[in-house]
């Protein structure tokens, strides 16, 4: 199961319930906090100069866009509805490595900046290469 932490619509209690459900049902859980765009931003070296608190807060920058989405738009012309996969594919190994500089523990991702999606992507790449 892959989810965003999304504090605006996903309470701490709901987060705990999802973890409990996954543990009880042997479901692997992959989370990005604050949202999936954080995982996408890890594909670019520009993340290394970002303010971690601002990334975690992900404030609105206008009526339709939040900070992470704006940064991705600045870097690679990303929009939620239409974007090129190529820069993400090209940099996926860098993103997996950069992820390790942030929180990856599923329980700590409830309140800390990070993601563990790189672990899932690495498993997919590894299993594909074994075939």
């Amino acid at each position: 199961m892959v989810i965003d932490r999304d504090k605006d619509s996903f309470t701490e209690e709901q987060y705990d319930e999802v973890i409990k459900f996954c543990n009880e049902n042997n479901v692997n859980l992959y989370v990005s906090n604050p949202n999936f765009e954080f995982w996408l931003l890890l594909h670019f070296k520009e993340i290394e100069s970002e303010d971690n608190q601002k990334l975690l807060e992900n404030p609105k920058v206008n009526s339709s866009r939040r900070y992470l989405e704006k940064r991705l738009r600045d870097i690679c012309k990303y929009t939620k509805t239409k974007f090129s996969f190529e820069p993400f594919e090209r940099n996926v190994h860098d993103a997996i490595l950069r992820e390790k500089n942030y929180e990856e523990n599923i329980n700590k991702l409830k309140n800390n900046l990070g993601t563990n999606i790189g672990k899932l992507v690495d498993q997919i790449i590894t299993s594909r290469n074994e075939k």
Side-chain angles (χ1 to χ4, degrees):
M1 181 184 306
V2 178
I3 60 172
D4 290 346
R5 170 62 179 98
D6 195 0
K7 291 179 185 174
D8 291 338
S9 61
F10 196 7
T11 68
E12 288 193 21
E13 293 77 19
Q14 289 170 320
Y15 188 89
D16 293 338
E17 285 297 314
V18 169
I19 289 176
K20 180 180 175 188
F21 171 86
C22 289
N23 287 335
E24 290 173 352
N25 293 282
N26 199 28
V27 173
N28 293 324
L29 179 61
Y30 300 94
V31 177
S32 281
N33 187 12
N35 60 20
F36 190 72
E37 281 81 5
F38 177 73
W39 160 248
L40 296 178
L41 191 57
L42 286 170
H43 290 71
F44 304 98
K45 68 181 185 302
E46 286 84 351
I47 194 168
E48 295 166 6
S49 61
E50 291 287 340
D51 177 314
N52 288 349
Q53 191 60 37
K54 192 167 190 176
L55 292 173
L56 181 60
E57 291 172 5
N58 196 26
K60 284 189 174 184
V61 293
N62 60 40
S63 62
S64 63
R65 193 166 289 117
R66 291 193 170 273
Y67 182 75
L68 283 164
E69 185 180 352
K70 180 192 179 306
R71 289 299 294 131
L72 283 167
R73 186 180 190 122
D74 294 343
I75 294 165
C76 68
K77 299 181 179 26
Y78 168 87
T79 67
K80 287 184 181 235
T81 57
K82 184 177 178 183
F83 66 94
S84 171
F85 183 69
E86 191 274 328
F88 300 101
E89 181 180 26
R90 173 178 73 225
N91 297 324
V92 72
H93 295 288
D94 294 332
I96 292 168
L97 290 174
R98 284 187 191 107
E99 175 182 288
K100 295 174 186 342
N101 296 322
Y102 300 90
E103 189 60 64
E104 292 181 295
N105 178 290
I106 200 70
N107 293 303
K108 293 179 180 180
L109 279 169
K110 177 167 56 172
N111 295 309
N112 295 310
L113 177 67
T115 184
N116 63 345
I117 290 177
K119 292 179 178 185
L120 171 62
V121 173
D122 191 45
Q123 290 171 6
I124 292 168
I125 291 169
T126 300
S127 67
R128 186 180 71 183
N129 290 339
E130 290 174 353
K131 292 182 178 182

